[in-house]
Amino acid sequence: MSAEGAGKNDFSPGLEGVVAAKTAVSEVDGANGRLIYRGGYLIEDLAPAVTFEEAAYLLWHGELPNKSELDALRAQMAEARKLKDSTRSVISAIDFDTDPMDTLRTAVSAQGATKTLTKPSPEEAIALTAVVPTIVATAHRRRHKRDVVEPRPELSHAANFLWMMDGQEPAKERIHWLDQYLVMLADHGLNASTFTARVVASTGSDLTSCVVAAIGALKGPAHGGATFAARTMLDNIGSVENVDRWMADQHAKHARFPGFGHRVYRTYDPRAKILSEIAKTADPKLHQLAAHTEEVALKILHDAHPERPNATNVDFWASVVLTGCGIPKELFTCVFAMSRVAGWTAHVLESLDDLRIIRPASVWIGPEPGKKPQPVDKR
Ligand SMILES: CC(C)(COP(=O)(O)OP(=O)(O)OC[C@H]1O[C@@H](n2cnc3c(N)ncnc32)[C@H](O)[C@@H]1OP(=O)(O)O)[C@@H](O)C(=O)NCCC(=O)NCCS
C-alpha cells in the first residue's frame, strides 16, 4: 500500500507494506537480499573496509570522511565519552540486578537531560553515540561490583568499549570483529526502533527523547533482544547431538526460533552471511553448534512454510560473533544499541528537513456511540 493509496479503513497489521518515510540513510532490498547504506554502499563492501566511526560519519553526512574529517570526528567522540556527574549518580542509584537495557535507557535519559527543549543537532548525535559505550561498560562493571574503567581518548570506539568493559588491552582481532558488527548493525531502513525514533522526532521533541524511545523498542525479543535469545537458545541446546530433538520439541510447542525470519528479507539477510564467516574464527566451537542448529532450523521452517522463506537473520550469527568478542550475552542488546544509535540519530536529523507529525489512523471496532453513563451506585 503506498502512502497515497492508504484509505481511512485500510488496515495493515504491523504496518506491513505501509510506506511511512522517504530516506537516503539506508535501504533494505528484501527481494534481492541487499542492505544499501547512504551513498550507495553495499554492506558487504563497507563492513570489512571501514571502522564504526567512518560508518557513523557516512550515515550522518552522506559521504565517507577524509583523513582530517575522521580525525576531527574521533577527537569530538573521545571528548564526549565522559559521563556527567549526574549520570554517574543515576547509574549508582539503580538496583544491581537491573536489566542492562533498563540501565542504559535511564542513563541515556540522564545524560541528555537539559533545562529546556532542544532541537536535534549533529553535535548531539555525535555526543550520544560516543557516550553509549561508556554507559554500558560503567553499568556492567558496577553490576558485577567491579571498579569502573575510565574511557581512553586514543582508542577507537570499538577498542575503547572492550577496554572499559574488561579493563584489559583488547586483542586486535576482537576489535576488528566488533567493529564489523557495529558497522553492519548501524542502520537498517525503517525498522521498529528507527520508526519509533522518527515518530518522536515528528512531534518536535529532542534527540535524547528519540533515542530513549528507540532503546525501548529495540529491547523486545522480536527486534534487538533476538541476539540474546539466540545465544540462550544455543546455551539451552548445549551440544550438536541435542540439536534435532531440541528444535523439534520447540517447534511442536509453536515456539519461535530467535535469529530466524524477517519482515523484509525474502531471500537472505546479507549481514547474517558476513557474520557467519566471521564466526568461524571468532568462536569455532560455538560456530559448529550454531551451524548445525541453523541447518535444522531452516529445514523445519521450510517444511512449515515453504512459501515463506524464513531465513537466518543477523541476530543468530551476531550472537556467536559477540561471544567471540568476549562480550557477555546480557550485554548483547546494549551493544546493538551502541551501533544503532548512529542510525537512529541520522534518521532523526534527516527527518527535520520535512517534519510532519506521524499520526496514523485506526479502525474503530467499539460499539455504536450513544451509551449514557450511570452514576457509580447504579452500575
Ligand atoms: C522477525 C519476525 C518478528 C518477523 O515477523 P513477521 O514479519 O510479522 O512474520 P510473521 O510473524 O507473520 O511470521 C510468518 C510465519 O512464519 C513463522 N515464523 C516467522 N519467524 C519464525 C521463527 N523465527 N520461528 C518459527 N516460526 C517463525 C510464523 O510463526 C508465522 O507462521 P504462522 O502463520 O503459521 O504462525 C519473526 O520472524 C520472528 O519473530 N523472528 C524471531 C525473532 C527474531 O529473530 N527477531 C529479529 C529480527 S531481525
Side-chain angles (χ1 to χ4, degrees):
M1 188 193 316
S2 71
E4 290 77 23
K8 188 171 185 314
N9 292 322
D10 290 328
F11 172 47
S12 177
L15 299 185
E16 185 160 2
V18 174
V19 179
K22 287 184 180 173
T23 184
V25 181
S26 76
E27 162 74 354
V28 183
D29 173 6
N32 298 303
R34 297 192 308 173
L35 170 57
I36 306 155
Y37 269 20
R38 201 160 182 178
Y41 295 98
L42 287 171
I43 200 64
E44 53 270 36
D45 296 329
L46 205 58
V50 303
T51 60
F52 173 73
E53 289 90 321
E54 292 170 272
Y57 187 100
L58 173 69
L59 296 177
W60 290 324
H61 297 283
E63 280 173 32
L64 284 169
N66 62 28
K67 171 90 174 66
S68 65
E69 288 162 340
L70 183 59
D71 288 345
L73 175 66
R74 283 195 178 133
Q76 229 178 324
M77 289 181 80
E79 185 55 36
R81 279 176 186 162
K82 296 182 196 110
L83 299 184
K84 288 194 208 163
D85 289 344
S86 52
T87 308
R88 281 184 200 280
S89 307
V90 165
I91 294 175
S92 305
I94 288 174
D95 291 340
F96 279 107
D97 57 356
T98 300
D99 182 320
M101 277 297 276
D102 289 0
T103 309
L104 175 63
R105 195 188 56 213
T106 309
V108 168
S109 190
Q111 181 78 8
T114 49
K115 287 185 186 148
T116 51
L117 181 67
T118 55
K119 195 177 168 208
S121 68
E123 294 73 31
E124 212 187 338
I126 293 169
L128 277 168
T129 304
V131 85
V132 169
T134 316
I135 294 174
V136 176
T138 302
H140 173 67
R141 291 192 66 92
R142 182 180 171 273
R143 185 174 150 91
H144 293 280
K145 304 193 172 71
R146 293 162 74 191
D147 290 341
V148 167
V149 176
E150 294 300 326
R152 278 172 43 198
E154 79 283 9
L155 294 180
S156 73
H157 195 70
N160 179 58
F161 171 68
L162 293 172
W163 157 253
M164 290 188 295
M165 182 183 76
D166 284 342
Q168 284 167 17
E169 213 61 50
K172 276 208 180 72
E173 313 80 64
R174 283 172 70 206
I175 301 169
H176 186 52
W177 297 329
L178 179 59
D179 231 337
Q180 289 185 81
Y181 166 88
L182 293 174
V183 170
M184 272 183 272
L185 275 284
D187 203 48
H188 204 235
L190 210 57
N191 61 89
S193 57
T194 301
F195 182 55
T196 304
R198 289 189 80 126
V199 169
V200 177
S202 83
T203 70
S205 194
D206 61 281
L207 190 57
T208 298
S209 297
C210 299
V211 169
V212 169
I215 290 171
L218 186 75
K219 188 181 165 191
H223 190 8
T227 320
F228 170 86
R231 178 60 215 271
T232 303
M233 173 175 74
L234 294 173
D235 288 345
N236 290 337
I237 294 170
S239 65
V240 171
E241 309 78 68
N242 297 340
V243 171
D244 297 65
R245 185 182 43 79
W246 199 92
M247 299 300 274
D249 284 355
Q250 292 299 305
H251 183 60
K253 289 184 211 157
H254 303 289
R256 291 202 170 198
F257 302 144
F260 294 87
H262 202 273
R263 173 61 64 79
V264 185
Y265 288 120
R266 286 293 161 257
T267 46
Y268 59 86
D269 180 336
R271 301 164 305 168
K273 263 193 178 179
I274 305 167
L275 285 166
S276 75
E277 279 305 309
I278 300 174
K280 283 182 189 162
T281 356
D283 193 328
K285 191 156 179 268
L286 193 57
H287 176 274
Q288 200 192 9
L289 173 62
H292 191 54
T293 304
E294 179 185 43
E295 200 182 307
V296 174
L298 292 178
K299 181 166 183 343
I300 293 175
L301 291 170
H302 177 77
D303 290 350
H305 278 283
E307 81 298 347
R308 190 185 167 96
N310 280 320
T312 320
N313 66 47
V314 68
D315 296 286
F316 183 75
W317 285 109
S319 78
V320 183
V321 171
L322 293 181
T323 303
C325 291
I327 296 168
K329 71 175 178 181
E330 70 196 41
L331 293 188
F332 283 2
T333 324
C334 293
V335 176
F336 192 160
M338 259 168 58
S339 164
R340 188 57 58 85
V341 64
W344 294 331
T345 51
H347 275 268
V348 169
L349 293 173
E350 178 188 56
S351 75
L352 299 181
D353 295 341
D354 189 16
L355 210 58
R356 186 157 190 231
I357 190 163
I358 296 177
R359 204 302 185 191
S362 50
V363 179
W364 169 248
I365 54 163
E368 280 298 306
K371 211 170 178 177
K372 302 286 179 239
Q374 294 290 324
V376 69
D377 54 344
K378 298 224 171 110
R379 272 179 240 150

Short mmCIF file of all heavy atoms in Angstrom, two decimals, residues 265-315:
data_model
loop_
_atom_site.label_atom_id
_atom_site.label_comp_id
_atom_site.label_asym_id
_atom_site.label_seq_id
_atom_site.Cartn_x
_atom_site.Cartn_y
_atom_site.Cartn_z
N TYR A 265 13.35 -9.20 4.43
CA TYR A 265 14.19 -10.08 3.58
C TYR A 265 13.38 -11.27 3.11
O TYR A 265 12.77 -11.97 3.91
CB TYR A 265 15.42 -10.56 4.34
CG TYR A 265 16.45 -9.49 4.56
CD1 TYR A 265 16.84 -9.13 5.84
CD2 TYR A 265 17.04 -8.83 3.48
CE1 TYR A 265 17.78 -8.13 6.05
CE2 TYR A 265 17.98 -7.83 3.68
CZ TYR A 265 18.34 -7.49 4.96
OH TYR A 265 19.27 -6.49 5.16
N ARG A 266 13.40 -11.51 1.82
CA ARG A 266 12.69 -12.65 1.26
C ARG A 266 13.66 -13.69 0.68
O ARG A 266 13.24 -14.72 0.17
CB ARG A 266 11.68 -12.19 0.19
CG ARG A 266 10.46 -11.53 0.79
CD ARG A 266 9.62 -12.54 1.59
NE ARG A 266 8.71 -11.91 2.55
CZ ARG A 266 8.93 -11.84 3.86
NH1 ARG A 266 10.01 -12.34 4.38
NH2 ARG A 266 8.07 -11.27 4.67
N THR A 267 14.93 -13.39 0.71
CA THR A 267 15.92 -14.37 0.26
C THR A 267 16.85 -14.70 1.43
O THR A 267 16.74 -15.75 2.02
CB THR A 267 16.76 -13.82 -0.92
OG1 THR A 267 17.15 -12.49 -0.60
CG2 THR A 267 15.99 -13.82 -2.20
N TYR A 268 17.72 -13.77 1.79
CA TYR A 268 18.61 -13.95 2.94
C TYR A 268 19.00 -12.58 3.45
O TYR A 268 18.81 -11.57 2.77
CB TYR A 268 19.84 -14.78 2.55
CG TYR A 268 20.65 -14.15 1.45
CD1 TYR A 268 21.62 -13.21 1.73
CD2 TYR A 268 20.40 -14.45 0.12
CE1 TYR A 268 22.34 -12.58 0.72
CE2 TYR A 268 21.11 -13.83 -0.89
CZ TYR A 268 22.07 -12.91 -0.59
OH TYR A 268 22.76 -12.28 -1.58
N ASP A 269 19.54 -12.58 4.67
CA ASP A 269 20.00 -11.34 5.29
C ASP A 269 21.51 -11.26 5.04
O ASP A 269 22.27 -12.11 5.53
CB ASP A 269 19.67 -11.42 6.80
CG ASP A 269 20.10 -10.19 7.59
OD1 ASP A 269 21.03 -9.49 7.14
OD2 ASP A 269 19.53 -9.97 8.66
N PRO A 270 21.99 -10.30 4.25
CA PRO A 270 23.42 -10.28 3.89
C PRO A 270 24.33 -10.18 5.11
O PRO A 270 25.46 -10.67 5.10
CB PRO A 270 23.55 -9.05 2.99
CG PRO A 270 22.38 -8.18 3.32
CD PRO A 270 21.28 -9.10 3.72
N ARG A 271 23.83 -9.54 6.18
CA ARG A 271 24.65 -9.38 7.40
C ARG A 271 24.88 -10.74 8.06
O ARG A 271 25.94 -11.01 8.63
CB ARG A 271 23.96 -8.42 8.36
CG ARG A 271 23.73 -7.03 7.76
CD ARG A 271 22.73 -6.25 8.56
NE ARG A 271 21.46 -6.97 8.70
CZ ARG A 271 20.48 -6.62 9.52
NH1 ARG A 271 20.64 -5.57 10.30
NH2 ARG A 271 19.36 -7.30 9.57
N ALA A 272 23.85 -11.63 7.98
CA ALA A 272 24.00 -12.97 8.58
C ALA A 272 25.10 -13.74 7.85
O ALA A 272 25.90 -14.45 8.47
CB ALA A 272 22.67 -13.71 8.51
N LYS A 273 25.15 -13.57 6.52
CA LYS A 273 26.18 -14.26 5.72
C LYS A 273 27.58 -13.82 6.16
O LYS A 273 28.47 -14.65 6.37
CB LYS A 273 26.03 -13.87 4.23
CG LYS A 273 25.26 -14.86 3.42
CD LYS A 273 25.47 -14.50 1.95
CE LYS A 273 24.76 -15.47 1.05
NZ LYS A 273 24.93 -15.14 -0.36
N ILE A 274 27.77 -12.52 6.29
CA ILE A 274 29.10 -11.99 6.65
C ILE A 274 29.47 -12.45 8.07
O ILE A 274 30.58 -12.91 8.33
CB ILE A 274 29.13 -10.44 6.58
CG1 ILE A 274 28.69 -9.96 5.20
CG2 ILE A 274 30.53 -9.90 6.92
CD1 ILE A 274 28.39 -8.47 5.11
N LEU A 275 28.50 -12.34 8.98
CA LEU A 275 28.78 -12.70 10.37
C LEU A 275 29.04 -14.20 10.52
O LEU A 275 29.85 -14.61 11.36
CB LEU A 275 27.63 -12.25 11.28
CG LEU A 275 27.59 -10.73 11.55
CD1 LEU A 275 26.26 -10.31 12.15
CD2 LEU A 275 28.73 -10.29 12.46
N SER A 276 28.38 -15.02 9.72
CA SER A 276 28.61 -16.46 9.83
C SER A 276 30.04 -16.81 9.43
O SER A 276 30.66 -17.72 9.98
CB SER A 276 27.59 -17.27 9.02
OG SER A 276 27.90 -17.19 7.67
N GLU A 277 30.60 -16.05 8.49
CA GLU A 277 32.01 -16.25 8.11
C GLU A 277 32.93 -15.82 9.25
O GLU A 277 33.86 -16.55 9.62
CB GLU A 277 32.34 -15.43 6.85
CG GLU A 277 31.91 -16.10 5.55
CD GLU A 277 32.47 -17.51 5.41
OE1 GLU A 277 33.68 -17.70 5.56
OE2 GLU A 277 31.67 -18.44 5.15
N ILE A 278 32.66 -14.65 9.84
CA ILE A 278 33.49 -14.15 10.95
C ILE A 278 33.42 -15.13 12.12
O ILE A 278 34.41 -15.38 12.81
CB ILE A 278 33.04 -12.74 11.39
CG1 ILE A 278 33.16 -11.75 10.23
CG2 ILE A 278 33.85 -12.24 12.59
CD1 ILE A 278 32.59 -10.37 10.51
N ALA A 279 32.23 -15.69 12.34
CA ALA A 279 32.01 -16.58 13.49
C ALA A 279 32.91 -17.81 13.45
O ALA A 279 33.30 -18.33 14.50
CB ALA A 279 30.54 -17.02 13.53
N LYS A 280 33.29 -18.23 12.24
CA LYS A 280 34.16 -19.42 12.12
C LYS A 280 35.47 -19.22 12.87
O LYS A 280 35.98 -20.16 13.49
CB LYS A 280 34.48 -19.68 10.63
CG LYS A 280 33.35 -20.32 9.88
CD LYS A 280 33.75 -20.59 8.44
CE LYS A 280 32.54 -21.03 7.63
NZ LYS A 280 32.74 -20.90 6.20
N THR A 281 36.01 -18.00 12.82
CA THR A 281 37.26 -17.73 13.53
C THR A 281 36.99 -17.17 14.92
O THR A 281 37.77 -17.43 15.85
CB THR A 281 38.13 -16.67 12.77
OG1 THR A 281 37.50 -16.34 11.55
CG2 THR A 281 39.54 -17.11 12.59
N ALA A 282 35.92 -16.40 15.06
CA ALA A 282 35.68 -15.72 16.35
C ALA A 282 35.39 -16.73 17.46
O ALA A 282 35.84 -16.56 18.59
CB ALA A 282 34.53 -14.73 16.21
N ASP A 283 34.62 -17.79 17.14
CA ASP A 283 34.34 -18.82 18.16
C ASP A 283 34.04 -20.14 17.44
O ASP A 283 32.87 -20.50 17.21
CB ASP A 283 33.16 -18.41 19.04
CG ASP A 283 33.05 -19.28 20.28
OD1 ASP A 283 33.41 -20.48 20.20
OD2 ASP A 283 32.63 -18.77 21.33
N PRO A 284 35.13 -20.87 17.03
CA PRO A 284 34.94 -22.07 16.21
C PRO A 284 34.02 -23.11 16.85
O PRO A 284 33.22 -23.74 16.15
CB PRO A 284 36.36 -22.63 16.07
CG PRO A 284 37.28 -21.50 16.39
CD PRO A 284 36.54 -20.58 17.30
N LYS A 285 34.08 -23.28 18.18
CA LYS A 285 33.28 -24.32 18.83
C LYS A 285 31.79 -23.95 18.78
O LYS A 285 30.94 -24.76 18.40
CB LYS A 285 33.75 -24.47 20.30
CG LYS A 285 33.18 -25.67 20.97
CD LYS A 285 34.06 -26.14 22.13
CE LYS A 285 33.43 -27.35 22.80
NZ LYS A 285 32.57 -26.99 23.90
N LEU A 286 31.51 -22.70 19.14
CA LEU A 286 30.12 -22.25 19.11
C LEU A 286 29.62 -22.20 17.66
O LEU A 286 28.44 -22.46 17.39
CB LEU A 286 30.00 -20.88 19.79
CG LEU A 286 28.58 -20.39 20.11
CD1 LEU A 286 27.81 -21.37 20.99
CD2 LEU A 286 28.62 -19.01 20.79
N HIS A 287 30.52 -21.89 16.73
CA HIS A 287 30.15 -21.87 15.32
C HIS A 287 29.64 -23.24 14.87
O HIS A 287 28.65 -23.36 14.15
CB HIS A 287 31.33 -21.45 14.44
CG HIS A 287 31.01 -21.51 12.97
ND1 HIS A 287 31.15 -22.66 12.23
CD2 HIS A 287 30.51 -20.58 12.14
CE1 HIS A 287 30.77 -22.43 10.98
NE2 HIS A 287 30.38 -21.17 10.90
N GLN A 288 30.33 -24.27 15.34
CA GLN A 288 29.96 -25.64 14.94
C GLN A 288 28.53 -25.96 15.41
O GLN A 288 27.70 -26.46 14.64
CB GLN A 288 30.94 -26.60 15.58
CG GLN A 288 31.00 -27.94 14.90
CD GLN A 288 31.78 -28.93 15.75
OE1 GLN A 288 32.12 -28.68 16.91
NE2 GLN A 288 32.06 -30.08 15.18
N LEU A 289 28.25 -25.64 16.67
CA LEU A 289 26.91 -25.87 17.20
C LEU A 289 25.88 -25.03 16.46
O LEU A 289 24.80 -25.50 16.08
CB LEU A 289 26.89 -25.54 18.71
CG LEU A 289 25.53 -25.57 19.40
CD1 LEU A 289 24.91 -26.97 19.34
CD2 LEU A 289 25.65 -25.11 20.86
N ALA A 290 26.24 -23.76 16.22
CA ALA A 290 25.31 -22.84 15.55
C ALA A 290 25.03 -23.30 14.12
O ALA A 290 23.89 -23.23 13.64
CB ALA A 290 25.88 -21.43 15.57
N ALA A 291 26.07 -23.77 13.43
CA ALA A 291 25.90 -24.18 12.03
C ALA A 291 24.90 -25.35 11.93
O ALA A 291 24.04 -25.37 11.05
CB ALA A 291 27.24 -24.56 11.43
N HIS A 292 25.02 -26.29 12.85
CA HIS A 292 24.09 -27.43 12.82
C HIS A 292 22.68 -26.97 13.21
O HIS A 292 21.68 -27.39 12.60
CB HIS A 292 24.58 -28.54 13.74
CG HIS A 292 23.82 -29.82 13.55
ND1 HIS A 292 23.68 -30.43 12.32
CD2 HIS A 292 23.10 -30.57 14.43
CE1 HIS A 292 22.93 -31.51 12.45
NE2 HIS A 292 22.56 -31.62 13.72
N THR A 293 22.60 -26.08 14.19
CA THR A 293 21.30 -25.55 14.61
C THR A 293 20.63 -24.82 13.44
O THR A 293 19.43 -24.98 13.19
CB THR A 293 21.49 -24.58 15.81
OG1 THR A 293 22.17 -25.28 16.84
CG2 THR A 293 20.16 -24.06 16.32
N GLU A 294 21.42 -24.04 12.72
CA GLU A 294 20.88 -23.29 11.58
C GLU A 294 20.30 -24.25 10.53
O GLU A 294 19.18 -24.06 10.03
CB GLU A 294 21.98 -22.44 10.94
CG GLU A 294 21.51 -21.64 9.73
CD GLU A 294 22.64 -20.90 9.05
OE1 GLU A 294 23.74 -21.48 8.89
OE2 GLU A 294 22.42 -19.73 8.68
N GLU A 295 21.07 -25.29 10.25
CA GLU A 295 20.64 -26.27 9.23
C GLU A 295 19.28 -26.89 9.61
O GLU A 295 18.35 -26.96 8.79
CB GLU A 295 21.71 -27.35 9.17
CG GLU A 295 21.73 -28.18 7.93
CD GLU A 295 22.83 -29.24 8.06
OE1 GLU A 295 23.99 -28.89 8.35
OE2 GLU A 295 22.50 -30.41 7.91
N VAL A 296 19.18 -27.29 10.88
CA VAL A 296 17.94 -27.95 11.33
C VAL A 296 16.79 -26.94 11.36
O VAL A 296 15.67 -27.24 10.91
CB VAL A 296 18.16 -28.59 12.73
CG1 VAL A 296 16.86 -29.15 13.29
CG2 VAL A 296 19.23 -29.67 12.66
N ALA A 297 17.07 -25.73 11.86
CA ALA A 297 16.02 -24.70 11.94
C ALA A 297 15.47 -24.38 10.55
O ALA A 297 14.24 -24.32 10.35
CB ALA A 297 16.58 -23.44 12.59
N LEU A 298 16.36 -24.21 9.58
CA LEU A 298 15.92 -23.84 8.23
C LEU A 298 15.05 -24.93 7.61
O LEU A 298 14.07 -24.65 6.92
CB LEU A 298 17.13 -23.53 7.33
CG LEU A 298 17.90 -22.25 7.70
CD1 LEU A 298 19.11 -22.07 6.80
CD2 LEU A 298 17.00 -21.01 7.63
N LYS A 299 15.38 -26.18 7.90
CA LYS A 299 14.59 -27.29 7.35
C LYS A 299 13.19 -27.28 7.98
O LYS A 299 12.18 -27.39 7.28
CB LYS A 299 15.30 -28.63 7.61
CG LYS A 299 14.54 -29.78 7.04
CD LYS A 299 15.30 -31.06 6.95
CE LYS A 299 14.52 -32.18 6.29
NZ LYS A 299 13.10 -32.05 6.17
N ILE A 300 13.13 -27.13 9.31
CA ILE A 300 11.83 -27.10 10.00
C ILE A 300 10.99 -25.93 9.48
O ILE A 300 9.80 -26.08 9.16
CB ILE A 300 12.01 -27.00 11.54
CG1 ILE A 300 12.66 -28.28 12.08
CG2 ILE A 300 10.69 -26.72 12.23
CD1 ILE A 300 13.00 -28.24 13.58
N LEU A 301 11.61 -24.76 9.39
CA LEU A 301 10.87 -23.56 8.95
C LEU A 301 10.40 -23.71 7.51
O LEU A 301 9.28 -23.31 7.17
CB LEU A 301 11.76 -22.31 9.11
CG LEU A 301 12.05 -21.90 10.55
CD1 LEU A 301 13.13 -20.82 10.62
CD2 LEU A 301 10.78 -21.41 11.25
N HIS A 302 11.25 -24.31 6.67
CA HIS A 302 10.86 -24.50 5.27
C HIS A 302 9.69 -25.49 5.15
O HIS A 302 8.74 -25.26 4.42
CB HIS A 302 12.05 -24.99 4.44
CG HIS A 302 11.67 -25.27 3.01
ND1 HIS A 302 11.49 -24.26 2.11
CD2 HIS A 302 11.40 -26.43 2.38
CE1 HIS A 302 11.13 -24.80 0.95
NE2 HIS A 302 11.06 -26.11 1.09
N ASP A 303 9.78 -26.58 5.93
CA ASP A 303 8.70 -27.58 5.87
C ASP A 303 7.37 -26.98 6.36
O ASP A 303 6.31 -27.29 5.82
CB ASP A 303 9.05 -28.81 6.74
CG ASP A 303 10.19 -29.61 6.10
OD1 ASP A 303 10.53 -29.30 4.93
OD2 ASP A 303 10.75 -30.50 6.78
N ALA A 304 7.46 -26.09 7.38
CA ALA A 304 6.23 -25.48 7.92
C ALA A 304 5.66 -24.44 6.97
O ALA A 304 4.44 -24.29 6.86
CB ALA A 304 6.52 -24.85 9.28
N HIS A 305 6.52 -23.68 6.32
CA HIS A 305 6.07 -22.58 5.44
C HIS A 305 6.92 -22.55 4.18
O HIS A 305 7.77 -21.66 4.01
CB HIS A 305 6.24 -21.24 6.17
CG HIS A 305 5.13 -20.90 7.09
ND1 HIS A 305 3.91 -20.44 6.67
CD2 HIS A 305 5.06 -20.98 8.44
CE1 HIS A 305 3.13 -20.25 7.72
NE2 HIS A 305 3.80 -20.56 8.81
N PRO A 306 6.70 -23.50 3.23
CA PRO A 306 7.54 -23.49 2.02
C PRO A 306 7.40 -22.19 1.23
O PRO A 306 8.31 -21.78 0.52
CB PRO A 306 7.01 -24.68 1.19
CG PRO A 306 6.06 -25.41 2.07
CD PRO A 306 5.68 -24.53 3.21
N GLU A 307 6.26 -21.52 1.39
CA GLU A 307 6.00 -20.29 0.61
C GLU A 307 6.68 -19.07 1.23
O GLU A 307 6.79 -18.03 0.61
CB GLU A 307 4.49 -20.06 0.50
CG GLU A 307 3.77 -19.41 1.69
CD GLU A 307 3.81 -20.20 3.02
OE1 GLU A 307 4.18 -21.40 3.00
OE2 GLU A 307 3.50 -19.61 4.07
N ARG A 308 7.12 -19.20 2.51
CA ARG A 308 7.69 -18.04 3.21
C ARG A 308 9.14 -18.33 3.61
O ARG A 308 9.38 -19.11 4.52
CB ARG A 308 6.86 -17.75 4.45
CG ARG A 308 7.22 -16.44 5.10
CD ARG A 308 6.46 -16.24 6.40
NE ARG A 308 7.07 -15.15 7.12
CZ ARG A 308 6.63 -13.89 7.09
NH1 ARG A 308 5.55 -13.60 6.40
NH2 ARG A 308 7.24 -12.96 7.76
N PRO A 309 10.10 -17.71 2.92
CA PRO A 309 11.49 -18.05 3.24
C PRO A 309 11.93 -17.42 4.57
O PRO A 309 12.45 -16.31 4.60
CB PRO A 309 12.28 -17.46 2.07
CG PRO A 309 11.40 -16.44 1.47
CD PRO A 309 10.01 -16.65 1.91
N ASN A 310 11.70 -18.14 5.67
CA ASN A 310 12.13 -17.65 6.98
C ASN A 310 13.62 -17.97 7.14
O ASN A 310 13.99 -18.94 7.77
CB ASN A 310 11.32 -18.33 8.08
CG ASN A 310 9.95 -17.69 8.26
OD1 ASN A 310 9.82 -16.47 8.20
ND2 ASN A 310 8.94 -18.51 8.46
N ALA A 311 14.45 -17.12 6.56
CA ALA A 311 15.89 -17.39 6.54
C ALA A 311 16.55 -16.95 7.85
O ALA A 311 15.93 -16.32 8.71
CB ALA A 311 16.53 -16.65 5.37
N THR A 312 17.84 -17.29 7.98
CA THR A 312 18.62 -16.86 9.14
C THR A 312 18.76 -15.35 9.10
O THR A 312 19.07 -14.78 8.06
CB THR A 312 20.04 -17.47 9.06
OG1 THR A 312 19.93 -18.80 8.59
CG2 THR A 312 20.74 -17.43 10.40
N ASN A 313 18.52 -14.68 10.23
CA ASN A 313 18.73 -13.23 10.24
C ASN A 313 20.00 -12.88 11.02
O ASN A 313 20.66 -13.75 11.59
CB ASN A 313 17.49 -12.48 10.75
CG ASN A 313 17.18 -12.76 12.22
OD1 ASN A 313 18.06 -12.71 13.06
ND2 ASN A 313 15.91 -13.04 12.50
N VAL A 314 20.30 -11.58 11.04
CA VAL A 314 21.56 -11.09 11.61
C VAL A 314 21.78 -11.51 13.06
O VAL A 314 22.90 -11.78 13.49
CB VAL A 314 21.62 -9.54 11.47
CG1 VAL A 314 20.59 -8.86 12.36
CG2 VAL A 314 23.00 -9.01 11.75
N ASP A 315 20.69 -11.61 13.83
CA ASP A 315 20.84 -11.84 15.27
C ASP A 315 21.40 -13.21 15.59
O ASP A 315 22.07 -13.39 16.61
CB ASP A 315 19.49 -11.64 15.97
CG ASP A 315 19.03 -10.20 15.83
OD1 ASP A 315 19.60 -9.34 16.50
OD2 ASP A 315 18.14 -9.95 15.00
#
